[in-house]
């Protein structure tokens, strides 16, 4: 039997203290080194791309942490999300060399393995946050934005590889289109209820893109796989929009 969740610490009245920010930045520096080492091994000079992506994520997340994190400790949960962001940055390395995944099978399998690891860690951060009583608006948003960046990176790699047409970018662009639409119609930014179906569709979307990147998967299988994932995503977004419109 799992131990009972730890009680949530009382929220801080003025945001996180220096200890939380220091822990976040120290962990970020460690992940920056990891991104550089792995990225350099995978893509040589292209490691600079991975480094730039992760540094940008770290800077934006740090600003959000200051504004939206109410707890006195960072927690393993946010460390896992930061690790996922580092993995996504490394996965982006092949974008710097057009068609490299089609030419280097070993690199393609490495990207598939790293993508599978990043997908496997998804959900762990939320579980850890609930167990430790460290659920926060920051943590939820950080996880969501890493998921969105993950999907965009994979979709760009698939489009670059040529197994699926540029329409595959809709798998990643739909979420950003939804956010943009919310600027025009503010009712779209209202909170949505928890949904297992929404989470499952997100997992299927990412898993499909990872599968398409695997060397044995040719266009004949990649196109219907991407199309099925896109159909599910359209259904999920349409369902959420309809729910918001009714309210």
């Amino acid at each position: 039997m799992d131990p009972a969740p730890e009680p949530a610490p009382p929220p801080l009245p003025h945001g996180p203290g220096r200890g939380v920010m220091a822990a976040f930045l120290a962990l970020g520096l460690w992940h920056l080194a990891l991104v550089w080492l792995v990225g350099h091994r995978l893509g040589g000079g292209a490691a600079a791309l991975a480094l730039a992506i992760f540094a940008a994520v770290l800077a934006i997340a740090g600003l959000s942490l200051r504004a939206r994190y109410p707890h006195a400790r960072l927690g393993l949960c946010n460390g896992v999300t930061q690790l996922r962001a580092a993995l996504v940055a490394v996965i982006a390395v092949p974008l710097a060399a057009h068609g490299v995944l089609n030419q280097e099978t070993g690199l393609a399998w490495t990207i598939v393995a790293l993508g599978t690891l990043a997908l496997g860690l998804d959900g762990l951060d939320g579980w850890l946050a609930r167990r430790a009583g460290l659920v926060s608006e920051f943590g939820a948003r950080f996880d969501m934005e890493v998921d969105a960046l993950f999907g965009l990176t994979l979709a760009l790699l698939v489009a670059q590889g040529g197994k699926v047409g540029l329409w595959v970018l809709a798998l990643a662009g739909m979420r950003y289109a939804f956010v943009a639409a919310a600027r025009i119609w503010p009712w779209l930014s209202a909170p949505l209820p928890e949904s297992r179906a929404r989470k499952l569709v997100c997992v299927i979307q990412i898993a499909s893109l990872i599968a398409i990147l695997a060397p044995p998967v040719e266009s004949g299988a990649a196109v219907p796989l991407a199309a099925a994932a896109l159909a599910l995503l359209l259904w999920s977004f349409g369902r959420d929009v309809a729910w918001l419109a009714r309210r």
Side-chain angles (χ1 to χ4, degrees):
M1 180 180 296
D2 291 334
E6 296 181 21
L12 300 179
H14 304 295
R18 292 182 179 179
V20 172
M21 292 301 301
F24 185 80
L25 292 175
L27 191 61
L29 289 174
W30 187 89
H31 281 138
L32 274 171
L34 181 66
V35 166
W36 173 256
L37 289 172
V38 178
H40 185 72
R41 186 169 183 83
L42 290 181
L49 173 63
L51 208 60
I53 290 172
F54 183 69
V57 170
L58 199 63
I60 295 170
L63 292 174
S64 181
L65 180 71
R66 289 177 63 93
R68 300 182 179 184
Y69 194 68
H71 304 297
R73 56 194 177 93
L74 185 64
L76 183 59
C77 50
N78 294 304
V80 170
T81 309
Q82 198 182 103
L83 172 60
R84 291 181 60 237
L87 289 171
V88 171
V90 170
I91 289 168
V93 165
L95 290 174
H98 184 75
V100 67
L101 292 184
N102 293 335
Q103 301 164 8
E104 299 185 20
T105 302
L107 177 60
W109 279 118
T110 300
I111 295 301
V112 168
L114 291 175
T116 303
L117 175 59
L119 177 60
L121 291 173
D122 191 17
L124 177 60
D125 42 13
W127 182 84
L128 288 169
R130 290 188 295 272
R131 299 299 294 179
L134 295 176
V135 174
S136 67
E137 181 185 356
F138 161 77
R141 186 62 181 269
F142 191 18
D143 179 62
M144 185 186 304
E145 295 303 334
V146 170
D147 285 343
L149 181 61
F150 190 18
L152 177 61
T153 301
L154 292 172
L156 286 170
L157 286 172
V158 170
Q160 186 188 68
K163 293 181 182 179
V164 183
L166 291 178
W167 59 265
V168 75
L169 296 177
L171 278 169
M174 201 172 301
R175 191 261 173 182
Y176 293 104
F178 182 84
V179 172
R183 297 294 183 94
I184 303 173
W185 299 288
W187 54 271
L188 285 172
S189 61
L192 286 163
E194 288 289 326
S195 170
R196 290 186 178 180
R198 188 187 307 120
K199 293 177 181 178
L200 178 61
V201 168
C202 180
V203 170
I204 292 174
Q205 169 202 1
I206 298 297
S208 298
L209 290 170
I210 293 172
I212 291 171
L213 290 173
V217 179
E218 301 292 343
S219 295
V223 171
L225 185 58
L230 181 57
L232 281 174
L233 201 60
L234 285 167
W235 169 81
S236 179
F237 272 95
R239 179 167 162 262
D240 286 343
V241 170
W243 187 92
L244 291 168
R246 288 196 299 269
R247 285 154 180 80

